[in-house]
Amino acid sequence: MNEDVRDDVMSLVLRKVAVRTRESSTENITFAKAPLCFLLVSAINFLLFLFDYFCWYKNGWSEEKLATLSDFLLKTVAWGVVGVCLHMELFISRQRRLPFFFRAWCVLYLFVSGYCFIVNFALYEKKQSGLPLQSLVSDAFSVCVCLFFFYLELFVKNEGGVGDSTLQESLLDADLRDDVFETKETKGSDTVTPYSNSGIFGLLTFSWIGPLITLGRKKSLDLEDVPQLDKRDSLTGAFPTFRDRLEAQCGAITTVDTLMLVKSLVFSSWKEIIFTAILALLNTFASFVGPYLIDGFVQFLNGQRKFEHEGLVLVTAFLVAKLLECLTRRHWFFRLQQVGIRMRALLVTVIYNKILNLSCQSKHGHTTGEIINFMTVDAEKVGEFSWHLHDLWLVVLQVIVALLILYRNLGLASVSGLVAVLIVMWANIPLSSIQEKFHNKLMESKDARMKTTSEILRNMRILKLQGWEMKFLSNITQLRKIEQDWLKKVMYTLAMIIFVFWCAPAFVSVVTFGTCILVGIPLESGKILSTLATFQILQEPIYNLPETISMMAQTKVSLDRIASFLRLDEIPFDVVEKLPHGSSNVAIEVVDGNFSWDSFSPSTTLQNINLRVFHGMRVAVCGSVGSGKSTFLSCILGEVPKKSGILKVCGTKAYVAQSPWIQSSTIEDNILFGKDMERQRYEKVLEACCLKKDLDVLSFGDQTIIGERGINLSGGQKQRIQIARALYHDADIYLFDDVFSAVDAHTGSHLFQECLLNHLSSKTVVYVTHQVEFLPAADLILVMKDGKIIQSGKYNHLLKSGTDFMELVGAHKEALSALDSIDGGKASAITSTSQEDVISFVVSHGIEEKEVRKNEKNGGKDNKCDPKGQLIHEEEREKGKVGFEVYWKYVTTTYGGALVPLILIAEIMFQLLQIGSNYWMAWATPISSDAEPPVGGSALIFVYVALAIGSSICVLARATLVATTGYKTATSLFNNMHLCIFRAPMSFFDATPSGRILNRASTDQSAVDIDIPFQTGSFASSVVHLLGIVAVMSQVAWQVFIVFIPITAINIWYQQYYLPSARELSRLVGVCNAPVIQHFAETISGASTIRSFDQVSRFQKANMKLMDGYSRPKFNNAAAMEWLCFRLDILSSITFAFCLIFLISIPHGFIDSGIAGLAVTYGLNLNITQSWMIWELCSMETKIISVERILQYTSIPSEPPLVVERNRPHDSWPSCGRIDIHNLQVRYAPHLPFVLHGFTCTFHGGLKTGIVGRTGSGKSTLIQTLFRIVEPTVGKIMIDGINISSIGLHDLRSRLSIIPQDPTMFEGTVRSNLDPLEEYTDEQIWEALDKCQLGDEVRRKEGKLDYAVCEDGENWSMGQRQLVCLGRVLLKKSKVLVLDEATASVDTATDNLIQQTLRQYFSDCTVITIAHRITSVIDSDMILLLNQGLIEEYDSPARLLEDRFSSFAQLVAEYTTRSNSSFDQLK
């Protein structure tokens, strides 16, 4: 026989191939499909074997039948083994071409198969042979496969490369591409996604994502492994089109409305939207093929055959429809996700661009937290809506198609079904309205919480210094409680929606079948099953309809919010008339200028400004606190809306703000600020800004990564980096806003001399200053008061004519006179000593003496090199499988997991009742109208209704329990995470950018609030549903397990193959989101600086790069999901096809046709349910990463206890205020160098101690150690005999007072800023305001103590903020007071008033003052001089000044020498 000839040939060649397939040396990846073809041939032969077996096993066996079965079985084994051998040959020993013996065998097998096919076909046509049709199919398939091998051998091998991309990855084995990444030298991030140039086969099967999945199986994926997006999806390609379209519609972005925004978004992806609409249409028609054919299939099983091979035709129709449904569904979903990712990126980018142009008035109306919410929540919501883009019209189409099928089955009774469907849909109207209302309120409450959280994280240091963190945590908790109330309503509303719409199919079925019975339409099992299958298909759109409407409501809210934000006023571009460089000899000109921060207010902030500044002039701006100096600089920048007048600026600008704005990047990047490196200029700038010594001390020099807001730098270092940035920019006009207040006297003098007088000698410089000694060098001095320039001129001219200017200079004279009062004018004697003498003495004599003295005072400690490292690290991310403990903690958080078994029981009962009701209808109705029904019509419908009601109750119970569990779990996780964050040490906030924390508090918390609970419940439901389908199918045909078990094993293998990559891609999505948030927050705070340097376009490009970095893993994660689902759909279709083949192969009457039809009805949903279950599992595992990330922050190492009950100090502690420091050594982290190197000293109670030293000498670190912001590494600090490390942090910090270096105000009212703990009366608050010179200012405000304070106190000047901080300590009146540069941002006159206030009200207190102004500490009882973390001098000012070569004497000399120019003028 022909089969025997082939068997012998195959057996011989198989042995040869197994030996010879070890002899090759190199690889050609094109032949990856050869093993696939072997496995495919093996699978086909196996299916033919099973088909013949089930056809013949009831009718007895013949010799010919046994030979045929043996032929199929042998070919199944042979092709499978050869496929494995060839796979090993091609991918282990790197074979370049097919082995010789295999090629020879292919030639022989082709001739044999071709001969057999021709002979058998001829015999079959003449009906002279009993040969089954299956043998012809096998022969034809074998011929095709051999021809394919010839194509590989003769054509593809000569292409010299990878070959056609359609052959680059197996349909069912991504492991065939394991070596792709090994052979490339470039990283994934250096290449564009294979999706861009993949062939049709790769696109259809998602094989283009295979290499990345394979790589993820080998190693944990990093962002550099993920390919770049295609130009169509990248913002560089998509955003210009979107922006142009939006501008074409609305003209200006400030006039955009929601409809315009939607149109532009749709236009950006119109091709994909139309394509997915076609896919959705095809998918809909394909999905209804099964219900349409079920009645005919049941009749066929009942013996009513209409034509020959009807069974095969039905099976083929079922299978083709399933495959088309699978293919269209997968590409439909993937393309919609692609659209969603693109839309989200576009919205985030347009929001970011808006931030860069937002006016200050508009900015005050939206805090950083609110703006970040637009990006993290609203834009994300719009992106998620892409899933539901076609749902509304699809529901209408599905209802129409379903109605046609119902009419075919049930006639006019189908009208009642339509009415029932319409009733269900009508019920959506109130539900969607309620859902939109609740969601809107939820978003508003979330905004409020995120706004407060963002502000608190920015100011966590001051909260801990004041001991307020738990009070502010309670504020967050209160806001969360409001949010939780709305969240609870949203959750239970969703539970009700789930209940209504899970019951909808049963309700529609009851109405339809009840109508049939009432009007006398006979019910047959085939028609019943067709109807039930139709309702099952309708169940998904009806079930998804509420979610769609809910998503539409949420998306509309989000789009409205975004459009409203985009309509906010921008900085008007007509404020400044910009002239090109060199076109005028006037750099700045203002004529009758009137400016106001509020463009709608009748009052003006600056009035009648007239000014002309020529190129090369130095202009000084001075005035009291709140006089409008900083606003004047903002006017020149174009930041303040112009009421009237003319403002012209000629040339480029560079701006240095009063509050340093530093990016979280390297020092070099902050200085270059987008400019190319020019080493010579760079070195000169470092020298001019006194940065070289600082860089030598820092572990990584100028490559040191600066923490968020410059957290690991001193105030002076941050300011000098800002100045260096401006100098390196080489602009025409420089604007400095009181930049010398944050540095010590020596550094300030050096900066003024080197930067302003030397480096910028030919530039136009406008500088605001409170330091009178810097005024004489100005070519023009502007004196401001109440928003007006009241005087202008040169220094000498103003001295003679200006009373207001004389007040400022007089205050300076008063401060300098204090130096002469120390010990009979020794300060003057020191001043008279020439600088050269001082330097000569220090070099020749003083160094050795100081080193000895320093070592003695610091315990002789050697300053050895310590472990060093960066403060800021990459965000921690778990790798590998999500641990079981994460799932366990999630499910057991609420009531110890007691509700979980109840949820599972409710779901199981629901599925049992559902199956029972369908089984009842299939059994209790006759096969045809001729048969007698087993039960009456009333009994039929009564039992069905009872089962439907029972299943509805179970659904309600399950949905309610899921909502309750999810709500309570989210609440518990939120509280635990925030408690741990607020109790974390300050080092955690120093090393953790706030974007990472905000990401968890917003995006991850949102996922835990709503997504994860219902996704977990949906996964449990799909598992139980799948088990129910398998149970129904196996009850009819247990043989389905022959295929189902190996298919399930393959499914599990695929899932395990896919999950490592999916997990890491999901984690990368979370990790890549934090830099976007961080960049947003930095841009919001530094927008004016960015604009002043003309760096807007660079920051926009940086944001687009970060967004593409976020979209890359998200896009590939979506593709990987569809890669998996496509393969699972194919495998489940094989199971379904096997079941169908078995049913048509068994003899008539062997099983009940109705029950067999029920199995087919359930089998129609097998692929959807199975792929949905796997999708839910994978999606749940990726979503559960949000829980994992939140749990990371519930295990942060905590600060020491707030209260130590066994060691609480007395209520009167500290009564004396004596501070003893012994051998103190401090560093910020184990991997960082020591900042304080071990010194010992005592601050006597009731005395005032001034701490001075160069920038970065350790002054602020000492204060932070006193408050235990940083714990001593070695040594101890005693206050009134109590070791501060032995008591609770709250007991310590609440008994001390501090005015910090960075004045901080919180959004709220004046009252809440002075008394956040609500401990004092209004009378006490007014008294404190009067003492700190703010009483009159607050009385003029509308609302007085209830006057609103904007975020970060931006509607108050820097000096006023500092005075508010003074008011806080006046209220608190502690025995120990610390002033850390408390008067740096106020003018000299205000400084004198503050010093007088402190002397008056803190005369009996221990006052520790850190100051760069010598006049602020010269009247102290003791002076502590620090140098590089060591005590250099500690004595009274008088004794230190006696030695004219002491370091303190030199500081005084530098300060007085710098002031001599103005001091001499006074004389």
Side-chain angles (χ1 to χ4, degrees), residues 617-620 752-753 756-757 767 772-781 794-795 1461:
M617 285 183 64
R618 285 190 294 273
V619 180
F752 188 79
Q753 179 67 38
L756 266 72
L757 301 185
Y767 61 98
V772 176
E773 56 269 25
F774 293 140
L775 296 178
D779 300 314
L780 177 66
I781 299 173
K794 286 185 172 287
Y795 186 79
S1461 58

Side-chain angles (χ1 to χ4, degrees), residues 34-206:
L36 166 66
C37 293
F38 284 116
L39 297 175
L40 198 56
V41 174
S42 178
I44 292 294
N45 280 286
F46 180 63
L47 289 176
L48 293 173
F49 166 80
L50 293 174
F51 183 81
D52 283 350
Y53 173 80
F54 290 120
C55 283
W56 298 333
Y57 85 104
K58 285 294 181 182
N59 301 326
W61 303 102
S62 65
E63 184 178 345
E64 185 178 358
K65 290 180 179 178
L66 289 173
T68 301
L69 288 175
S70 301
D71 176 51
F72 286 140
L73 185 60
L74 181 60
K75 284 192 286 187
T76 298
V77 176
W79 281 102
V81 172
V82 173
V84 173
C85 291
L86 187 62
H87 170 69
M88 296 172 64
E89 176 68 15
L90 292 179
F91 292 94
I92 297 179
S93 56
R94 304 305 190 211
Q95 174 73 357
R96 179 176 176 79
R97 56 188 299 182
L98 300 176
F100 172 76
F101 275 100
F102 176 77
R103 284 179 279 141
W105 175 61
C106 279
V107 174
L108 179 61
Y109 195 79
L110 174 62
F111 284 115
V112 172
S113 297
Y115 169 78
C116 293
F117 176 74
I118 294 171
V119 171
N120 289 333
F121 183 77
L123 294 174
Y124 187 82
E125 282 293 310
K126 295 180 180 180
K127 302 187 182 299
Q128 294 180 7
S129 172
L131 191 71
L133 180 62
Q134 295 91 306
S135 296
L136 284 177
V137 174
S138 176
D139 290 335
F141 199 81
S142 299
V143 171
C144 293
V145 170
C146 288
L147 290 173
F148 174 70
F149 291 148
F150 271 105
Y151 166 73
L152 287 180
E153 185 64 22
L154 296 178
F155 297 101
V156 180
K157 72 173 184 180
N158 295 319
E159 293 177 5
V162 174
D164 190 278
S165 58
T166 62
L167 299 176
Q168 288 183 5
E169 196 268 335
S170 168
L171 171 65
L172 296 175
D173 189 2
D175 195 37
L176 300 179
R177 291 294 309 282
D178 281 358
D179 56 330
V180 169
F181 281 85
E182 296 172 8
T183 60
K184 293 185 178 180
E185 295 179 359
T186 57
K187 296 179 180 178
S189 59
D190 299 327
T191 60
V192 179
T193 174
Y195 173 75
S196 301
N197 51 17
S198 179
I200 185 66
F201 182 83
L203 289 175
L204 287 176
T205 62
F206 296 95

